[in-house]
Amino acid sequence: MLWELNADQEFFRDTTAKFLSERVPVEAIRRRRHETDAFDAEYWRRGADLGWTSLLVGEEAGGGSISGDPVVDLTLIAYEFGRAAAPGPLTSANVVAAALSGAGSHPEVVADLLSGATVAGWAHAEPRGGIGAVGLEIRADGAELVLDGVKRPVEAAGQAGWFLVSGRTGDGLTQVLVPADAPGVSVAALQTVDLTGRFGTVTFDGVRVPRDAVVGEIGGAAAQLEYQLQLALVIQAAETVGAMQRGFDMTVEWAADRYSFGRPLASYQAIKHRFADLKSWLEASHAIADSAAAAVSARAAGAGELVSVAKAYIGEYGLELLQDCVQLHGGIGLTFEHDLHLFLRRATVDRALHGTPAQHRARIAQFVIDREGSAA
Amino acid sequence: MSVDVSDVAAVAEDVESFRTRAREWIRGNLGPFRPETAMGLRSVPAEEELAAVAYDRQLQRKVYDAGFAGIAIPREYGGQGLTAAHQRAFNEELAGYECATRFQIPTMCPCAAVLLDFGTEEQKIRHIPAMLRGEEIWMQFLSEPSGGSDVAGALTSAVRDGDEWVLNGSKVWTTGAWWSDWALCLARTNWDVPKHRGLSVFILPIKQSGVDVHQIEMLNGAKDFCQEFLTDVRVPDTDRVGAVDDGWTVVTRWMFHERTLFNSPYVTYPQGQVHTVADASPADIARDAGVLDDPRARDLIGEARTLDVVGDALMQRIAGGMRAGRISDQSAAIGRLYRGIAGTRTATIKFDIAGPDAAAWSDDDGGISQAGNGFLMRQTACIGGGTTEMARNVISERVLGFPREQLPDRNVPFREVPRGGSR
Ligand SMILES: Cc1cc2nc3c(=O)[nH]c(=O)nc-3n(C[C@H](O)[C@H](O)[C@H](O)COP(=O)(O)OP(=O)(O)OC[C@H]3O[C@@H](n4cnc5c(N)ncnc54)[C@H](O)[C@@H]3O)c2cc1C
């Protein structure tokens, strides 16, 4: 993460780090693995008090950032989430709050999201879909809109009070806010490798909502969805880097303490060189995560490409790094007892969510070709 | 000791107005970047190479006359006295435009950088403006036939004779020595102390009797790689850089500058311009190979772009971290390692995208033409400027603090150090 934080940002990050280490230490995460919910309501409300949910929302709507650079501030929290393998729908909460407040709709829901009283699901991805592929149908019927389709995976679907659903209306994309208890909405829990992750498939079967459920314009949500994807990817990148950093630190310590043939593992050149590679991947991941965050924060023209680059790199090398950490631990690295897997689990889910590295490489190639083509 | 190139230094012109001024001048005065004439390891006839060198001299002079040479070099040495951020802005604006590549590496970095750190006032005033005016191209006489990684194991000797030193020995793998002017040279001045304590650094003109430059053919046919034989070369003591027998202090800094290269505040180089042998971009090659719509080719184009963009972000992070004092200068090795690995991977990607035509091609094949040679020369990125293995040693031992390798030559007079068969 960033080397040049101001004192307020440092304090902000520190507060979350302390809270997470007290509230969800590794034992608590292990214990939680068979529970239906990944976190309790009180945990999330306290986190909201620390500022986890309000950064992307303007002050007039009850939000506010520490540094005036809200996206960057949010990545500090995400980084700590990764370092702690902490539970909680950080991405959904922030993406949905930003979307609603950005469109100026549903202020009462925004207030509930900010206070942590409610959790919302970002219902965007679809089964077997590419990045941003949307098939769910939204059609107008008199004063109402009717939704038909399936969203999957939706984070914290079982605990969500609301879903922000993206759908296709004729040629355009539309987003609507749907209460989780609306008739026709059903949630089926999914399995996942992350002990603190809870995802569901959400089916919308002739779900009817009033027209004022629309967030933004009917048929005009493409740019807003791209921005949401960018936010999700930036949060994810920071979180994965946090998990990488923790796994790497644990492994460095281990290599210095563990002796083999009368000398520390860390003294063998074959091992030292592996660590040097890991360190270069780690620093490169920090660098690209920060640069993607800065670009999204500034709404820079290249932000879309940068978030994909961050995903393509961190998704690939972050997981190589953590798997190498397992390798360098030897047998103990594959046990449930050891903590390392908690970070590997988080990063594994992050690698697959919001587009795989390969899908993002294809997106990057398109950016390159479009650019070089237009220059020619 | 090191010159202040901090981004926050109080300077006359802010970065954005400098950028605007630079952009206007670049667009109005410079042609497009031509990879085929840039410094590199291409197989071209000698006359062509010499013409390119002559052109670079004029181009460098033009940049100097316009007031854009040595942007982060102090004014008293002919530079502009601005900051690393100004240099970076210039490099960004220079993307796609021509540049006097032969005056950048190793002339400005590491040679000028080492002079700025350790040179006498007289040496700086004599040479740095001459480099900036396009008059002196510098080379590093560092590696020797007996082994380049073990820099402190240099065998080239310098023996004192009154106010002069007499140098004998051989240096090798010097790209471009046959058309260059001056050299920064490491030599042994004391054989009776452990190796690091008996070295000194000198500067000397390359074109003089006693310096015999041989071109070595590389595996792609290029002949820019050179070996130099030094026979009784006399160097005045005023051309010594740093203290006698304390050359290791200079070399440590020298290698730091070598690891920063394209990210150095002294180097003018178009941002994002690839520095590899096969210069066509992966997308160009895919277009020429007719596979632009092939998902596998797209995956590779995306991968190459990813490595490129991440590399740039990493270099900025490391440079920023070092300037802010958050990480040690040894961290430059992280950038060096990344550059090597990404460079070799990118050469492989280009070769793969070019497909079967990379095996046999004609000049009409565009981007495909050099993909085979690019692949052959792939490891350049991991060897030149110190190997990636040495970078890994530095990262693990100096950055992560892991135990050092056993060094049997550590506390032994250099005279008694065992040498391999070929020494
Ligand atoms: C394109 C290019 C340009 C160059 N330009 C210049 C120049 O201008 N001036 C100049 O002086 N030199 C130059 N060099 C030389 C370059 O610096 C050396 O080639 C490099 O430092 C390696 O030294 P070597 O070739 O003697 O290999 P060696 O030192 O003999 O190494 C051989 C192999 O052993 C490995 N190795 C060696 N020691 C260790 C160790 N302790 N631990 C683990 N592995 C080790 C190396 O990594 C390498 O793989 C250039 C080289 C190239 C490729």
Side-chain angles (χ1 to χ4, degrees):
Chain A
M1 276 291 106
L2 297 168
W3 269 322
E4 282 121 24
L5 296 182
N6 65 37
D8 289 342
Q9 287 174 309
E10 205 64 82
F11 180 75
F12 179 58
R13 180 171 76 175
D14 220 44
T15 312
T16 287
K18 282 206 191 88
F19 176 77
L20 292 177
S21 71
E22 281 162 22
R23 193 66 196 240
V24 283
V26 285
E27 310 82 70
I29 291 173
R30 272 203 188 74
R31 245 182 283 124
R32 195 115 207 159
R33 75 163 145 162
H34 296 304
E35 311 248 332
T36 316
D37 294 335
F39 57 92
D40 57 66
E42 172 61 12
Y43 162 82
W44 191 248
R45 254 194 312 273
R46 297 256 324 261
D49 288 345
L50 297 179
W52 294 353
T53 53
S54 48
L55 293 163
L56 303 182
V57 172
E59 276 175 30
E60 67 296 341
S65 86
I66 315 303
S67 68
D69 220 345
V71 177
V72 173
D73 291 344
L74 179 54
T75 62
L76 302 178
I77 301 303
Y79 177 72
E80 292 304 333
F81 263 60
R83 283 204 334 130
L90 192 66
T91 303
S92 313
N94 281 286
V95 166
V96 175
L100 297 183
S101 71
S105 60
H106 305 89
E108 60 311 327
V109 178
V110 174
D112 281 351
L113 290 176
L114 296 198
S115 72
T118 304
V119 167
W122 184 45
H124 180 42
E126 297 196 1
R128 319 282 183 262
I131 310 167
V134 172
L136 183 138
E137 243 178 71
I138 300 180
R139 75 189 148 77
D141 183 18
E144 291 184 324
L145 297 169
V146 186
L147 283 71
D148 277 293
V150 180
K151 292 292 177 178
R152 157 186 181 167
V154 179
E155 188 185 13
Q159 277 172 290
W162 299 87
F163 293 111
L164 179 63
V165 188
S166 48
R168 196 160 282 291
T169 312
D171 291 340
L173 294 169
T174 303
Q175 275 192 304
V176 292
L177 189 68
V178 180
D181 58 4
V185 175
S186 56
V187 175
L190 294 165
Q191 302 178 49
T192 181
V193 296
D194 188 355
L195 301 185
T196 60
R198 298 292 182 276
F199 296 89
T201 300
V202 186
T203 304
F204 299 84
D205 185 7
V207 174
R208 291 182 166 269
V209 288
R211 266 182 187 259
D212 65 7
V214 172
V215 176
E217 304 289 328
I218 293 185
Q224 120 199 0
L225 278 161
E226 166 66 23
Y227 183 63
Q228 289 166 22
L229 176 68
Q230 291 180 11
L231 287 175
L233 287 166
V234 156
I235 294 169
Q236 179 184 68
E239 182 177 88
T240 309
V241 173
M244 290 169 73
Q245 183 71 56
R246 181 76 179 272
F248 181 76
D249 290 345
M250 289 167 64
T251 312
V252 165
E253 211 173 296
W254 163 259
D257 288 351
R258 174 99 174 159
Y259 274 61
S260 176
F261 301 97
R263 43 193 270 214
L265 289 179
S267 71
Y268 290 98
Q269 198 181 50
I271 303 292
K272 284 157 65 177
H273 281 196
R274 293 277 285 281
F275 272 98
D277 287 333
L278 303 192
K279 174 73 174 167
S280 83
W281 302 345
L282 177 64
E283 290 302 323
S285 297
H286 272 282
I288 194 63
D290 287 348
S291 134
V296 172
S297 185
R299 300 227 178 192
E305 185 179 11
L306 268 177
V307 293
S308 285
V309 167
K311 174 61 185 250
Y313 188 82
I314 297 171
E316 201 79 59
Y317 289 89
L319 273 294
E320 286 306 311
L321 179 143
L322 286 162
Q323 293 288 17
D324 243 15
C325 288
V326 171
Q327 172 71 18
L328 290 162
H329 270 82
I332 198 168
L334 287 162
T335 63
F336 191 77
E337 271 313 294
H338 200 276
D339 293 345
L340 189 56
H341 66 96
L342 301 177
F343 309 98
L344 174 62
R345 286 173 189 280
R346 175 57 56 91
T348 299
V349 169
D350 280 344
R351 185 186 195 275
L353 216 53
H354 312 316
T356 63
Q359 288 172 328
H360 282 278
R361 284 193 296 268
R363 197 169 107 111
I364 295 161
Q366 193 61 52
F367 280 119
V368 169
I369 290 163
D370 289 349
R371 192 168 43 237
E372 293 193 3
S374 66
Chain B
M1 178 179 302
S2 67
V3 176
D4 178 26
V5 289
S6 146
D7 281 354
V8 294
V11 290
E13 186 175 11
D14 69 82
V15 175
E16 285 317 305
S17 61
F18 173 80
R19 180 193 293 279
T20 311
R21 190 160 66 82
R23 181 184 307 154
E24 275 167 25
W25 183 79
I26 289 167
R27 296 198 178 157
N29 294 278
L30 298 179
F33 188 87
R34 287 184 301 155
E36 62 282 8
T37 59
M39 181 169 173
L41 297 165
R42 273 170 226 90
S43 172
V44 294
E47 321 75 78
E48 228 173 86
E49 183 63 26
L50 290 175
V53 174
Y55 184 77
D56 264 6
R57 289 186 191 274
Q58 289 167 20
L59 186 56
Q60 178 65 30
R61 177 73 203 208
K62 187 168 164 180
V63 174
Y64 176 85
D65 287 341
F68 290 112
I71 290 164
I73 299 254
R75 300 188 75 89
E76 59 267 39
Y77 309 126
Q80 308 304 322
L82 298 170
T83 68
H86 292 80
Q87 181 66 60
R88 187 173 168 81
F90 191 85
N91 291 354
E92 285 166 4
E93 295 305 324
L94 195 61
Y97 291 89
E98 64 181 343
C99 159
T101 50
R102 287 169 190 77
F103 282 88
Q104 308 310 320
I105 289 166
T107 301
M108 294 312 301
C109 184
C111 297
V114 167
L115 284 186
L116 283 168
D117 286 351
F118 295 99
T120 62
E121 202 55 21
E122 215 172 87
Q123 289 166 350
K124 291 187 228 183
I125 286 173
R126 173 160 176 217
H127 295 290
I128 294 174
M131 296 169 176
L132 295 175
R133 285 194 303 264
E135 290 157 13
E136 291 181 7
I137 299 178
W138 280 59
M139 285 295 143
Q140 319 179 56
F141 283 7
L142 194 58
S143 299
E144 299 197 0
S146 52
S149 300
D150 185 8
V151 178
L155 299 182
T156 293
S157 72
V159 176
R160 184 134 199 172
D161 180 19
D163 285 344
E164 294 184 332
W165 294 84
V166 182
L167 272 62
N168 279 287
S170 177
K171 295 288 175 177
V172 74
W173 316 138
T174 328
T175 316
W178 68 281
W179 42 253
S180 297
D181 308 301
W182 277 79
L184 189 64
C185 181
L186 177 69
R188 181 161 307 281
T189 40
N190 190 340
W191 297 72
D192 298 317
V193 290
K195 64 177 184 178
H196 294 96
R197 302 219 302 268
L199 299 164
S200 305
V201 174
F202 300 90
I203 58 178
L204 54 98
I206 296 175
K207 290 174 189 123
Q208 61 167 305
S209 65
V211 180
D212 201 2
V213 180
H214 284 239
Q215 289 168 255
I216 300 170
E217 182 168 355
M218 293 182 102
L219 47 79
N220 67 342
K223 293 202 176 105
D224 261 358
F225 240 25
C226 298
Q227 178 165 9
E228 303 82 26
F229 298 92
L230 310 182
T231 313
D232 295 334
V233 176
R234 302 191 81 86
V235 176
D237 190 51
T238 50
D239 281 350
R240 173 170 45 78
V241 179
V244 175
D245 289 353
D246 190 31
W248 190 246
T249 303
V250 180
V251 170
T252 308
R253 204 58 205 160
W254 180 345
M255 290 194 294
F256 161 73
H257 288 301
E258 166 120 48
R259 283 185 209 118
T260 62
L261 286 188
F262 290 100
N263 200 43
S264 160
Y266 306 130
V267 170
T268 296
Y269 205 92
Q271 182 72 34
Q273 185 63 49
V274 283
H275 325 293
T276 52
V277 185
D279 287 293
S281 77
D284 285 342
I285 298 175
R287 192 172 289 119
D288 294 341
V291 294
L292 203 51
D293 292 325
D294 176 345
R296 167 83 180 138
R298 294 224 167 190
D299 190 66
L300 293 171
I301 292 168
E303 184 186 347
R305 173 76 182 156
T306 296
L307 292 174
D308 214 26
V309 174
V310 172
D312 194 36
L314 175 64
M315 300 312 155
Q316 281 190 61
R317 173 175 169 85
I318 293 171
M322 290 189 311
R323 272 202 300 279
R326 297 293 304 252
I327 50 171
S328 83
D329 282 1
Q330 302 290 342
S331 306
I334 298 169
R336 192 280 163 269
L337 173 57
Y338 183 94
R339 209 163 26 78
I341 301 300
T344 52
R345 176 65 193 142
T346 302
T348 305
I349 285 174
K350 291 180 179 185
F351 185 57
D352 274 353
I353 294 176
D357 288 348
W361 65 90
S362 79
D363 283 347
D364 308 333
D365 287 330
I368 297 167
S369 324
Q370 287 308 317
N373 273 317
F375 183 75
L376 278 186
M377 296 284 286
R378 192 185 81 165
Q379 292 307 120
T380 306
C382 286
I383 297 173
T387 67
T388 39
E389 284 76 22
M390 296 311 291
R392 289 185 176 101
N393 285 347
V394 173
I395 296 166
S396 54
E397 295 177 358
R398 307 300 185 84
V399 179
L400 299 175
F402 285 1
R404 305 282 301 269
E405 290 303 301
Q406 283 200 10
L407 302 169
D409 60 357
R410 194 140 187 85
N411 292 314
V412 187
F414 188 68
R415 206 179 279 295
E416 291 163 23
V417 168
R419 304 197 223 296
S422 62
R423 290 184 161 196

